[in-house]
Structure formats: C-alpha cells, structure tokens
Amino acid sequence: MSKIKPSKGAPYARILGVGGYRPTRVVPNEVILEKIDSSDEWIRSRSGIATRHWASPEETVTAMSVEASGKAIADAGITADQIGAVVVSTVSHFKQTPAVATEIADKVGAGKPAAFDISAGCAGFGYGLTLAKGMIVEGSAEYVLVIGVERLSDLTDLEDRATAFLFGDGAGAVVVGPSDEPHIGPTVWGSEGDKSETIKQTVPWNDFHLGDVSRLPLNERGEVKFPAITQEGQAVFRWAVFEMAKVAQQALDAAGISAADLDVFIPHQANMRIIDSMVKTLKLPEHVTVARDVETTGNTSAASIPLAMERLLATGQAKSGDTALVIGFGAGLVYAATVVTLP
C-alpha cells in the first residue's frame, strides 16, 4: 500500500479572467505589398487579413506578456501573489534559457511560482490550458497564469509571397483557477509528426550562427536571410479544414454537448477561409458567435485564441458564462481542442 498522501486539489477548474495586448503599430496590407508582388484584394481573398500589429523594439515578448497578464489577473479578481504557476507558449523568445516565464512571473509580482515555457506553435494555448487544469485539479497550484505570446514579425520573410502577409504580434493571457463545476472540458490533442515539414523554420539557429552561406537562404542582393517561418500553404489548408473539423467534433463529443449547445466558436486565427470552412463542416447554427479576429490581428500563433477571446468579451459579442469551443492547430503538426466556459 502506498504511503503517499492523495492530492488535495479542486474538483474542477475554469478560466477566471482574460487579458490581451496588441502592439501599437497597425500594419495594413499596403506595407506588405512594398516587398512582394501581390495585391490587397489577393491577400484579403486568400486569408481575410486586412491589417496586423507589429511590435516595436520596446514591445518585447516579456513586455507584451506582462501587459496582457496584468489585465487577466485583474479580470480574475485575484492578486498576482496568488499565482502558483506561470505557463508561457511561444516560439519567438530567442533565448534558449532561461525560460521567459520566469522573467514574466517576477515582473507581474507573482512571487516564486513554478514557471516554464512550452513550444507547441499555434496549439500552444490549448496545451497550456490543459496543463493548468491538471495542476489545479492535482493540487500543485491554486491559480495558474497561461500566456500565449509571439513576435512573429521577427520570423517573417517579407520577400516570401506565401507568408509575408500572414503573421502578427501580440500577447493573450488567462488565469485558470478552482471551480466546483466542470468549466473546462476534456482536451482532444495530438500531433502528426510525419507532416512536420509543412510548417517550419527555414534554417536551424546553429546553421545561421555558423554563417555557411551554402546552407542558408539568400535575398536578391545575395545577403543571408534571418531564419523565418515557411509553410506549404495548400497542404496546411487541406489538413486544417478536413482534419481539424474532426478534432473539433471530438472535443464536442468529449464534453457531452452538440454544436447546437455552443454559444461561441474560437478557432486559431490562421486564415479566414479555414475558419469559414470549419464552421460549415461543423454545421454550426447561426446563433453561434464565431471569432474572426484574424482580419485585423493576423496570425499570432499561440496568442491568437486568448486575443480573440478577449476581444469578443470586450466588444460584447460574447458574454461571461457562454459555452465556447476553442481549437488551436499548427507547426508540428500539433493540435488541441476543448470546450470551455468563458470568464
């Protein structure tokens, strides 16, 4: 017989507060068109994106996260020193170590919580939310701060016609805490590593550091390009439209609800065509509010779901207590979907 005492966590967990931060600089498609042969009409028709936000040098991954986190903590009605863990999903913090979560935890005044980064691309918020739920139910933390943050402008090849218009910067955060009722459903998540080449960084950091020109992409002037995100657009589109709708349905089934029971749908803000196709495949009723934040924010990877959630609540398009299906998917290829009650 085990001598270990059982954990004393909460019976369930829920999202208690949400906050977002968008950089002050708004970048219209006209700026993107200065470097690529395309048109505003083409960009809008292919992605639905009209503008995106790009961070200034001062709007670092840490600075944006602290701003979003402060709003989420205030919205949750707790103090920062009550946070027992900080989970940050990002692919654009360029220090291998230490984790940026430790710096963020200190700057928000969280004391000495567990703090770590995860790399799960556009599914990172869902991964972080699932980890937070587990910590609360297990009893290792009472409140968990989950952050999705990206400065993807640093990883954008502005001469790549296929991706130059896609990415934006920003941070979204939620506070997850204890609940007497289930407000975060079972997570349906996974990976398809055989498709990992469809979304990737152009070259590893060590190749770039060594400076072997024969191994590195060059621009038209023969200069070495900084590593950037590239993707096989059609392959990613087909995967997202056909496979992720199945995952979304599995998350509904796992939560024991149907599409008709939903109030809100918050998919990863990758592409308007993908969002509209998923809505059609899932046969969502007209009463379901669909997040389309991608139009003015672009693809912010791990930050996209909490940013979209924050905007829906701030504009009154969604309200506290609504039932929402959230799903993230991207590089890896990885995915995570769950049903939540909005804070």
Side-chain angles (χ1 to χ4, degrees):
M1 181 179 291
S2 173
K3 298 180 180 179
I4 300 173
K5 293 182 180 180
S7 300
K8 294 183 178 180
Y12 305 104
R14 72 169 297 165
I15 300 173
L16 299 174
V18 60
Y21 180 83
R22 291 172 172 80
T24 55
R25 183 187 178 192
V26 177
V27 180
N29 289 337
E30 286 73 19
V31 172
I32 306 298
L33 296 173
E34 293 173 4
K35 294 289 185 70
I36 61 172
D37 180 17
S38 187
S39 68
D40 178 66
E41 181 183 3
W42 186 88
I43 292 174
R44 289 174 185 258
S45 65
R46 294 298 295 264
S47 67
I49 299 172
T51 61
R52 72 284 293 147
H53 295 256
W54 283 355
S56 67
E58 293 75 27
E59 291 170 316
T60 63
V61 164
T62 298
M64 293 190 293
S65 297
V66 170
E67 289 291 330
S69 298
K71 295 175 184 178
I73 292 167
D75 192 43
I78 67 167
T79 57
D81 59 3
Q82 292 178 272
I83 295 169
V86 178
V87 183
V88 178
S89 178
T90 185
V91 298
S92 46
H93 171 60
F94 296 146
K95 285 184 180 179
Q96 189 68 37
T97 193
V100 73
T102 58
E103 182 181 358
I104 294 167
D106 177 63
K107 289 186 179 298
V108 300
K112 300 180 180 179
F116 58 94
D117 299 349
I118 59 174
S119 178
C122 305
F125 176 75
Y127 276 46
L129 187 64
T130 303
L131 294 172
K133 173 186 173 182
M135 284 184 251
I136 291 161
V137 172
E138 188 271 338
S140 58
E142 184 176 12
Y143 299 99
V144 180
L145 178 63
V146 179
I147 303 165
V149 58
E150 301 293 1
R151 273 181 55 116
L152 294 182
S153 58
D154 293 335
L155 287 169
T156 299
D157 180 355
L158 294 178
E159 297 177 344
D160 180 0
R161 188 173 184 271
T163 61
F165 58 89
L166 287 175
F167 303 117
D169 303 336
V174 298
V175 171
V176 183
S179 172
D180 292 328
E181 296 180 342
H183 288 289
I184 301 176
T187 299
V188 177
W189 58 355
S191 64
E192 297 185 30
D194 60 317
K195 300 180 180 66
S196 62
E197 291 295 300
T198 57
I199 305 175
K200 63 181 181 179
Q201 184 172 307
T202 49
V203 293
W205 294 116
N206 58 335
D207 281 4
F208 179 76
H209 174 71
L210 293 172
D212 183 352
V213 176
S214 66
R215 297 162 63 99
L216 299 174
L218 307 176
N219 62 23
E220 294 179 353
R221 298 176 297 280
E223 300 165 336
V224 172
K225 289 185 177 183
F226 190 75
I229 298 172
T230 185
Q231 68 176 27
E232 298 174 15
Q234 287 302 314
V236 172
F237 181 85
R238 288 193 298 270
W239 175 78
V241 168
F242 296 109
E243 298 303 321
M244 291 306 97
K246 298 176 186 176
V247 171
Q249 183 60 55
Q250 290 170 16
L252 290 174
D253 294 342
I257 68 172
S258 68
D261 297 315
L262 284 176
D263 300 302
V264 183
F265 179 43
I266 311 177
H268 164 50
Q269 301 294 293
N271 181 302
M272 196 75 78
R273 293 167 62 210
I274 291 174
I275 294 171
D276 290 340
S277 294
M278 291 183 71
V279 168
K280 183 177 180 180
T281 302
L282 288 168
K283 299 179 180 178
L284 296 184
E286 290 187 7
H287 76 262
V288 176
T289 297
V290 179
R292 291 188 170 89
D293 195 44
V294 66
E295 180 180 5
T296 56
T297 307
N299 179 344
T300 56
S301 189
S304 79
I305 290 175
L307 277 174
M309 182 185 296
E310 185 264 351
R311 175 163 280 174
L312 288 175
L313 289 166
T315 58
Q317 296 176 73
K319 62 183 186 300
S320 174
D322 279 353
T323 300
L325 169 63
V326 299
I327 178 169
F329 44 86
L333 293 170
V334 294
Y335 54 88
T338 188
V339 175
V340 303
T341 302
L342 295 183

